Amino acid sequence: MREWEQRGERMSADGGGGGHVRTGFSWLMLVPPAACLLVALPHLVDHRVPSLVTLLLIGPLLACVRFGVRCTLLVCAWAAALGLATDLGDDAVAGFGFGVRFGGLLLGCAVTVHAAGRGERLTAALARSREVARVTQEAVLRPISRTLDGTQVCTRYHCSADESTVGGDLYDVAVTPYGLRVLVGDVRGHGLDALRLTAETITGFRELAYTAPDLPSLADSLDTRLTPELGPEDFVTALLAEFAPGEVRLVNCGHPAPLRSGRSIEFLEPKVPSPPLGLRPDPRQYRVRLQPGDRLLLYTDGLAEGRDPEGIPFPLLGEAALALREPLPEDALSTLHDRLLQHTGAPLADDLALVLCQPVEATVPARVR
């Protein structure tokens, strides 16, 4: 992906986080009222110490930043009570100075309550957005763990963006008259634009996979459909697979080569590389034999480009060989994902899509006499 990003940039040259509202009791809730008490205590103990009524706003401010409206109201009431208590023994209780100080305190309390309410609304809106993103992921990137047209398919997806569950990596499958077809791709970039192109690519695949007579035609049709939607620096790497008895047919448009695991493990590189969709691809199909028990791992560059804190790349071939020994496909993908996290030593900085395919009965087709 990075190589194609650099090429896309050359072609183009030629042509907040918010606060958290907590619910339930927490010991941290004692901090705002304690702050108010610390401000008022010196004057309560010794009236010769100047009264600092306006500084009592520290408590409500802390409450509105960290907690909700209810907690902020309680702290405001506590601050107002302390504000009255600090001047109860003074002769200036009804005086002009006290009125200014206490009025300023009440006004500040009202502002903090309003801010806390707005924070709660923003938090609720964020929760709704995350729920929409979750539902969108299930609709756009359907989790799969089942046998389709004689091939067992299992998927795993990770989005690096905290605010979303759908990123620029994508996959989809279709049981067509030509056999099971699988798409794995990677949209350049992140954010809403990448999400839009992800949805557009998957939608195009679902519409075209059933009618395109072969994978090169399918790749050409996808490129024609996506090109008007792409900006000058946008592109989509794509790997298309079509399963037939005893073999898999592949078209690779600028995507990391898949892995075949069986008696040995190897990358299935195309003989003639092709640019990604949107960069004038030249899709060419190549075929690979599948022996009984062989597995095919399709993935995005979030797996191949994972690095440890010292910058050492993830040893994909060796780690995949170990992980794919797991009998169950779900366990194999979980093991591979866990080993990647152990290698990076931190949450993944890139999106990741994994698709593991294993023909249930892979047999070599008979020769035509």
Side-chain angles (χ1 to χ4, degrees):
M1 170 62 78
R2 291 176 182 172
E3 173 188 357
W4 294 112
E5 285 182 350
Q6 294 171 357
R7 295 189 184 184
E9 289 169 356
R10 288 196 294 268
M11 292 179 66
S12 174
D14 295 337
H20 300 281
V21 177
R22 298 181 178 270
T23 58
F25 177 77
S26 168
W27 288 106
L28 290 176
M29 290 182 177
L30 299 179
V31 173
C36 293
L37 184 60
L38 288 176
V39 171
L41 191 59
H43 185 77
L44 292 175
V45 173
D46 187 354
H47 287 282
R48 291 174 297 180
V49 178
S51 175
L52 302 175
V53 174
T54 54
L55 286 184
L56 292 172
L57 275 175
I58 293 176
L61 285 172
L62 292 174
C64 81
V65 169
R66 191 68 180 177
F67 306 104
V69 173
R70 179 180 299 181
C71 180
T72 304
L73 278 171
L74 292 175
V75 175
C76 286
W78 172 245
L82 289 175
L84 287 174
T86 54
D87 283 323
L88 280 179
D90 296 346
D91 296 333
V93 171
F96 176 77
F98 170 77
V100 171
R101 293 193 300 271
F102 194 71
L105 174 62
L106 294 181
L107 179 61
C109 287
V111 171
T112 59
V113 171
H114 174 75
R118 185 175 182 181
E120 283 189 346
R121 291 191 294 272
L122 290 175
T123 301
L126 179 60
R128 289 193 296 269
S129 298
R130 287 176 175 171
E131 178 63 16
V132 170
R134 184 189 64 81
V135 175
T136 302
Q137 179 185 9
E138 293 180 354
V140 176
L141 296 170
R142 301 166 292 181
I144 302 171
S145 182
R146 56 185 299 191
T147 299
L148 300 169
D149 197 30
T151 300
Q152 192 172 10
V153 181
C154 184
T155 65
R156 188 181 184 101
Y157 187 83
H158 165 80
C159 179
S160 62
D162 294 334
E163 69 275 6
S164 176
T165 56
V166 181
D169 291 7
L170 59 97
Y171 66 82
D172 202 18
V173 299
V175 179
T176 74
Y178 309 98
L180 174 67
R181 288 177 169 176
V182 180
L183 164 69
V184 174
D186 190 352
V187 173
R188 187 194 185 203
H190 300 278
L192 293 178
D193 288 339
L195 177 57
R196 177 183 59 82
L197 291 177
T198 295
E200 185 66 27
T201 304
I202 292 176
T203 300
F205 174 79
R206 291 176 182 176
E207 293 179 0
L208 300 169
Y210 298 92
T211 57
D214 52 46
L215 293 186
S217 299
L218 177 55
D220 282 331
S221 299
L222 273 174
D223 179 67
T224 300
R225 179 188 178 107
L226 291 175
T227 297
E229 305 295 329
L230 299 174
E233 298 182 1
D234 294 337
F235 58 83
V236 181
T237 68
L239 179 68
L240 294 166
E242 180 181 277
F243 289 87
E247 71 173 16
V248 61
R249 302 156 189 161
L250 299 167
V251 164
N252 192 330
C253 296
H255 198 78
L259 275 172
R260 179 180 61 181
S261 173
R263 296 176 182 176
S264 61
I265 187 167
E266 61 178 333
F267 292 107
L268 303 179
E269 297 279 1
K271 294 182 180 179
V272 180
S274 170
L277 304 179
L279 297 181
R280 302 184 185 92
D282 181 21
R284 300 187 184 186
Q285 178 174 282
Y286 59 107
R287 300 185 177 191
V288 178
R289 290 286 184 90
L290 293 178
Q291 300 297 328
D294 283 357
R295 285 175 166 177
L296 191 68
L297 176 66
L298 291 73
Y299 56 92
T300 54
D301 60 3
L303 181 66
E305 297 180 358
R307 296 178 180 272
D308 69 5
E310 297 180 356
I312 299 175
F314 181 63
L316 176 55
L317 204 62
E319 294 290 0
L322 294 174
L324 295 180
R325 292 176 184 174
E326 295 284 350
L328 298 178
E330 296 87 349
D331 293 342
L333 293 186
S334 295
T335 299
L336 185 59
H337 183 261
D338 291 344
R339 296 184 75 90
L340 176 61
L341 289 177
Q342 292 174 7
H343 179 80
T344 59
L348 299 181
D350 198 1
D351 301 333
L352 175 64
L354 302 174
V355 180
L356 184 59
C357 303
Q358 180 177 355
V360 177
E361 294 181 0
T363 58
V364 177
R367 294 181 180 178
V368 179
R369 296 181 180 179

